[in-house]
Amino acid sequence: MKRIMLLAGTAFLYTGMVSAAGLAEHHIKQAGADCQSCHSQPIEVKDNEARENQACISCHGSLQELAQQAKQPLSPHHSHLIDPSCTSCHSGHKEPVMVCQTCHDSFKSSFHIPFSASDKVADTYVFPEVSQQAIDKALAAGPVERHELLVIGAGAAGHAAAVSARQHGIKDVVLLEKQPYIGGNGMLAAGGMASAETLTQAFRGYQDSKALWYQDTMKGGHQLNNPDLVHTLVNNGSAGIDWLMALGADMTSAASAGGHSAERLHRPSGGAKSGPEIINTLKNAAEKLGVETRTNSKVIRLVEDKQGRVTGVLVQGKHTGVHLLAAKAVVIASGGFARNNALVAKYRPDLKGVDSTNNPGNVGDALTFATAIGVDTVDVDQIQAFPTAAAGKMVISGTARGAGAILLNRDGARFCDEMGPRDKVSECIWAQPGKDAWLVFDETVFERLGQLRGMLELGIIYKAADAKELATKTQMNAETAAAAVKRYNGFQASGKDSDFGRKNMADDLHFPLYAVQVKPAVHHTMGGLKIATDTRALNKDGKPIAGLYAAGEVTGGVHGANRLAGNAIADTIVFGRIAGENVAEFIKQTATDNQ
């Protein structure tokens, strides 16, 4: 056993490991294991591979234990988001995938996953094409299981809907997630959850109102937003914060960000990322409430009865193949399509080839399987680029700018109002030489945002003691950069930005300074499935489709032409909770009608 632990602790440093199928062979030859050491007898692998993952932990220890054993400053086993299952990265019989590489390019050269035979990096498990014959066979066979509620997507909106439905009396809730790990885009959220008139704001003396939040959101969305959906968002945001805190989330800090007129982005104290805090809170709540989560389970079709009511889904399981699950109702919370560049470019040709900050699963599945039964769409051509993405993928939260960071171009000159809406800041960066910029901040900002520390360890952020060192590390002009910082400090002291009109200038900047190269990346798809304020999915005639609800980024209408920072998490929590409550009432009413 100790030998296995030793191998596990050092395996990521090995660079000459052999065949892709070598992990199972290694366990048998080197550790004296057999098939039943990892699998049940008879062997039956569930889609979520729970038995196999537990076997990994029983021998090697948990991710936290493996991270503690690692001698390097940043262990690949240390998850700064949520804890993925062991089989998210490792596979006994196929070439493994190092999930970290999808975001952190440095891992491609700095680390090597054991028994990986090539340098090719896959995003996630790729489901094979499904034949019509397999679909027909599954439909003919009928449901293999019957449930009260199926929720598609285990991100923030899906978890919120599942937990809310359980709290409103639905006992049988199953979360279906196609990826090998949960969290979706929610686990990547960095800045915070926007809400107004909260206890956190009151305790900190921050002045805000729901009316002001509404105005900011409509203005940020260029008035393309659905006013009814925005009213629903802002009127339920503070209750969403209270709900999360009651479940155990730390939302005791609040900050400002571009497009907002108040400190309303709620997040953990100390500047930690809000996404992992929220996802872990919801995951723990779902587990305590008995919600079943099935990973590696891709929904490929919605199923209706003769009256047009949604009665289930066809699922393509990693191990179980195509099968039908029946349900009294379905909630779609499968996210947007920002990671599908072909689809993005269809609506926005100017974004063709632009990297995305999104998780690998956000490819727009629901735009196919939901529209196939008549669900209408809205604003699908409204796609947002996030202005400050390191390596074109990793979000450097807008709260960094809210805390005092500035943007300098390759020459070292400041060029825009850093606190402007995301679309405007992105346009400014694209107009610069190289279509990128340097985000510059000092020790005060670095300490305010704990999320930045890991990026320093990854080598993404550079630290400079003076202007000369800053120029050496970034290739900016030392004199231009120093003059830009000095001029900004003067504006901050006077309270007026005479160059670009920036209103929020938290502090002046002092060496040592930190710099990270950023450029816009496809970040959020504002459009999606059309819903009513109660989250019922609507058809092209504006009528609800019985038994079908939707929440989160998979929907459209909330954000208009441009989403403000923090409004995405608010969208997922507010409408996820509403979906859970209303689908619960629908299921109960249906049961009463059938008696």
Side-chain angles (χ1 to χ4, degrees):
M1 194 68 68
K2 290 182 178 179
R3 185 179 185 184
I4 296 177
M5 292 292 288
L6 178 61
L7 288 170
T10 58
F12 272 94
L13 301 179
Y14 289 10
T15 57
M17 305 307 260
V18 291
S19 70
L23 189 57
E25 182 180 354
H26 166 79
H27 279 80
I28 293 171
K29 289 186 177 181
Q30 300 298 322
D34 59 19
C35 296
Q36 267 60 59
S37 298
C38 296
H39 300 294
S40 60
Q41 189 176 11
I43 295 177
E44 182 184 5
V45 182
K46 302 291 187 181
D47 289 330
N48 62 7
E49 301 167 332
R51 169 69 174 79
E52 289 68 28
N53 280 290
Q54 190 54 49
C56 295
I57 294 171
S58 67
C59 284
H60 298 279
S62 66
L63 288 175
Q64 292 89 342
E65 291 170 337
L66 289 172
Q68 289 172 0
Q69 294 167 19
K71 295 181 179 179
Q72 60 265 45
L74 186 64
S75 165
H77 289 113
H78 174 69
S79 173
H80 57 295
L81 302 174
I82 58 171
D83 290 340
S85 60
C86 305
T87 54
S88 297
C89 298
H90 301 282
S91 174
H93 303 282
K94 295 181 180 179
E95 183 175 346
V97 173
M98 193 168 182
V99 177
C100 308
Q101 292 179 340
T102 64
C103 289
H104 305 297
D105 290 337
S106 60
F107 278 127
K108 295 177 184 178
S109 57
S110 302
F111 299 97
H112 187 82
I113 193 167
F115 306 99
S116 178
S118 75
D119 293 327
K120 183 179 179 181
V121 178
D123 271 348
T124 186
Y125 172 73
V126 178
F127 288 84
E129 291 292 327
V130 177
S131 68
Q132 188 61 47
Q133 182 181 8
I135 292 174
D136 293 341
K137 183 178 178 181
L139 291 172
V144 298
E145 296 173 9
R146 294 183 181 275
H147 298 280
E148 287 188 283
L149 175 62
L150 298 174
V151 180
I152 306 171
H159 272 91
V163 171
S164 177
R166 280 291 291 115
Q167 290 177 328
H168 286 86
I170 303 304
K171 297 180 180 179
D172 178 14
V173 182
V174 177
L175 267 171
L176 298 171
E177 171 58 55
K178 72 177 180 182
Q179 295 195 115
Y181 44 86
I182 68 165
N185 269 359
M187 71 176 178
L188 302 175
M193 174 177 164
S195 292
E197 299 182 23
T198 67
L199 289 174
T200 294
Q201 290 176 314
F203 288 150
R204 293 180 174 271
Y206 297 152
Q207 299 297 313
D208 196 7
S209 71
K210 294 176 181 178
L212 184 58
W213 183 19
Y214 174 87
Q215 293 171 13
D216 288 344
T217 298
M218 293 298 295
K219 180 181 178 181
H222 306 316
Q223 308 298 324
L224 188 64
N225 326 54
N226 180 325
D228 293 336
L229 291 177
V230 178
H231 276 302
T232 302
L233 177 75
V234 302
N235 289 335
N236 292 277
S238 59
I241 293 290
D242 293 342
W243 183 69
L244 286 172
M245 294 183 73
L247 293 175
D250 177 2
M251 306 297 282
T252 56
S253 178
S256 180
H260 289 286
S261 301
E263 291 88 346
R264 65 168 69 108
L265 269 67
H266 294 69
R267 60 185 184 182
S269 59
K273 288 188 175 183
S274 61
E277 177 73 12
I278 291 171
I279 292 296
N280 275 309
T281 298
L282 292 174
K283 178 192 74 170
N284 293 336
E287 290 175 350
K288 291 178 181 177
L289 290 169
V291 173
E292 180 185 355
T293 301
R294 298 183 184 180
T295 53
N296 298 309
S297 299
K298 179 182 179 181
V299 172
I300 59 175
R301 180 178 292 193
L302 298 172
V303 179
E304 301 173 284
D305 63 15
K306 293 180 180 180
Q307 288 71 45
R309 190 182 96 182
V310 173
T311 58
V313 300
L314 270 183
V315 176
Q316 182 184 9
K318 179 177 180 179
H319 301 289
T320 58
V322 181
H323 56 278
L324 175 61
L325 298 179
K328 296 178 180 178
V330 173
V331 175
I332 305 175
S334 54
F337 59 93
R339 193 64 178 250
N340 186 340
N341 190 254
L343 192 55
V344 167
K346 175 183 176 181
Y347 299 112
R348 285 281 303 275
D350 59 310
L351 295 177
K352 183 177 181 180
V354 176
D355 282 331
S356 172
T357 63
N358 280 213
N359 84 86
N362 275 34
V363 294
D365 296 331
L367 290 180
T368 299
F369 66 67
T371 57
I373 67 163
V375 180
D376 198 9
T377 60
V378 60
D379 297 340
V380 287
D381 59 339
Q382 301 302 320
I383 300 171
Q384 180 186 76
F386 188 84
T388 54
K393 294 181 179 180
M394 294 180 63
V395 170
I396 307 293
S397 169
T399 53
R401 283 167 279 149
I406 63 173
L407 286 166
L408 302 179
N409 63 20
R410 288 189 174 188
D411 190 47
R414 192 164 164 255
F415 57 88
C416 74
D417 171 11
E418 296 88 350
M419 294 299 292
R422 290 174 173 178
D423 56 345
K424 298 301 181 184
V425 179
S426 292
E427 290 171 4
C428 287
I429 294 175
W430 273 324
Q432 301 307 304
K435 297 184 178 182
D436 56 16
W438 290 96
L439 186 69
V440 177
F441 49 92
D442 65 6
E443 200 74 40
T444 301
V445 177
F446 187 75
E447 291 300 325
R448 283 175 177 169
L449 294 175
Q451 59 191 257
L452 296 173
R453 192 167 299 280
M455 295 181 184
L456 182 66
E457 294 171 343
L458 284 171
I460 294 171
I461 294 176
Y462 301 103
K463 184 177 182 180
D466 51 36
K468 182 178 180 181
E469 186 177 5
L470 181 66
T472 299
K473 291 185 175 180
T474 65
Q475 303 305 305
M476 285 189 284
N477 181 287
E479 293 182 359
T480 303
V485 172
K486 182 178 180 180
R487 185 171 176 82
Y488 174 80
N489 287 344
F491 294 153
Q492 194 277 335
S494 67
K496 182 180 180 181
D497 179 2
S498 300
D499 287 343
F500 304 104
R502 174 170 172 168
K503 295 180 180 179
N504 181 311
M505 295 178 284
D507 286 304
D508 53 358
L509 299 173
H510 299 280
F511 283 99
L513 291 178
Y514 297 83
V516 53
Q517 194 166 28
V518 295
K519 61 180 180 179
V522 180
H523 187 59
H524 195 92
T525 49
M526 276 75 70
L529 306 182
K530 197 169 188 177
I531 60 169
T533 55
D534 61 3
T535 75
R536 289 181 298 173
L538 303 176
N539 64 19
K540 293 185 181 299
D541 294 325
K543 297 180 179 180
I545 296 175
L548 186 62
Y549 296 75
E553 193 177 349
V554 74
T555 69
V558 176
H559 307 292
N562 178 59
R563 175 178 68 79
L564 296 187
N567 276 6
I569 286 292
D571 180 3
T572 60
I573 299 303
V574 167
F575 289 97
R577 290 186 70 206
I578 292 173
E581 179 177 358
N582 286 318
V583 77
E585 291 304 313
F586 172 83
I587 291 171
K588 293 174 186 176
Q589 186 61 50
T590 302
T592 300
D593 293 343
N594 291 334
Q595 288 179 350

